[in-house]
Amino acid sequence: LVRFCSCSCSCSSCRKKKKNDTMQRICATVLLLLALAAFADAFIGSSPLLLRNNAKRVQPAARAARTTTLSFSPKMTATTGEEVEEEVAAAGLLPADRYIACNRFTVRDGAGPRFEKRWAERKSSIATLEGFKFFTLLRRCDDMPDVSKNDGSLKVYPEGTPDYMSMTWWQNRKTFNSWRTGFAFKEAHGGGSLAGFLGAMLGSMMVLKDAPLPAMFEGLVAESVSRGGSPIVLKGRNAEGKAEADGVEALPAECFVAMNRFNVKAGCEKDFETIWQNRESTLKETKGFVAFTVLRAPNTGSKATPPGGPFGQDGINYSTCSVWDSKESWMQWFADSKKEGGSHKSAAPREGPPLKDLLNGPPSPLFWDGLLALESKDGA
């Protein structure tokens, strides 16, 4: 910050000092705006200072490459969707049938409802876009019982687990990149104007402790029910379908998301995926079920695999992700799945090592309340 001259004297020396301080303040403001614009162009991809000059804007292909590199790890060698797919195929892994884009947030103490209000008030036409499948803003479920114990204790999450995470399911990487370089992205991030962008930036600074952290995944063996058959019930919405948030009370949960994260040993990725590919699933017939996929960190199984997983430097490279209408529905399914002939069993006797031999440690579950849910008509 540039200090302003507070002297009330009208002598020539003080007038000169005031003039210099004013110029310094103007220059500092201009530099700040340019820095924010550069940040937006590098990390968000929609610099408001460049929107009026299409000739200077980065082309979509270049933006797609930049998205992949910044979202995962600077040490990666594969920077485009085509290169990633080639490396996955070369490793004998399953092709992706979904692309999952996430952004993780840590909020200031007591700022959760205000953070939710900002999301509820955002303009968004994402649900109308080709390739869009599902969206929800995830809030960490801190009142979740620890299902690995029978003592009534609550789930304790690893240090660094985010408070919130946005999660959007896309048909593929191409449709995600189309959204990211199009109007709908700018609309949701300040509307494409300098004033809107600065307002969004300043608003985020007031509620967040740190900058958001992106995490992208390839979705495998996805299954879901259609929106017509979805059990999700929207809550706290007005006549136009928009959520009503006051920034004081937390928004009601509209769905529940359960994740089980795995640190799969190098070289065991194909065996791990085969287990999920060959499983016999009855999830679609289960009460409260909405959608399921196995998340795979990009470049898993290739020489470009980063040293840490997308949730932190913990080596996590896979995670299940199931969406339910409520926590109660998931807990009922979990209890039933522990019985003989549960919802996840092999379709036939499986050859190869047991699951525990493919992992570097036990799975790590995460649980979320889903807010502001959006579904495509044919489901996630």
Side-chain angles (χ1 to χ4, degrees), residues 226-246:
S226 66
R227 186 171 63 186
S230 173
I232 289 180
V233 177
L234 305 183
K235 302 173 183 176
R237 306 293 183 103
N238 59 22
E240 299 177 350
K242 292 185 64 66
E244 297 182 323
D246 58 10

Side-chain angles (χ1 to χ4, degrees), residues 27 161 178 249 273 378:
C27 290
T161 302
S178 294
E249 298 293 332
E273 293 184 7
D378 54 348

Side-chain angles (χ1 to χ4, degrees), residues 169-182:
W169 295 30
W170 295 91
Q171 182 67 45
N172 49 44
R173 187 192 302 263
K174 181 179 178 180
T175 52
F176 162 76
N177 284 331
S178 294
W179 164 76
R180 193 177 180 279
T181 57

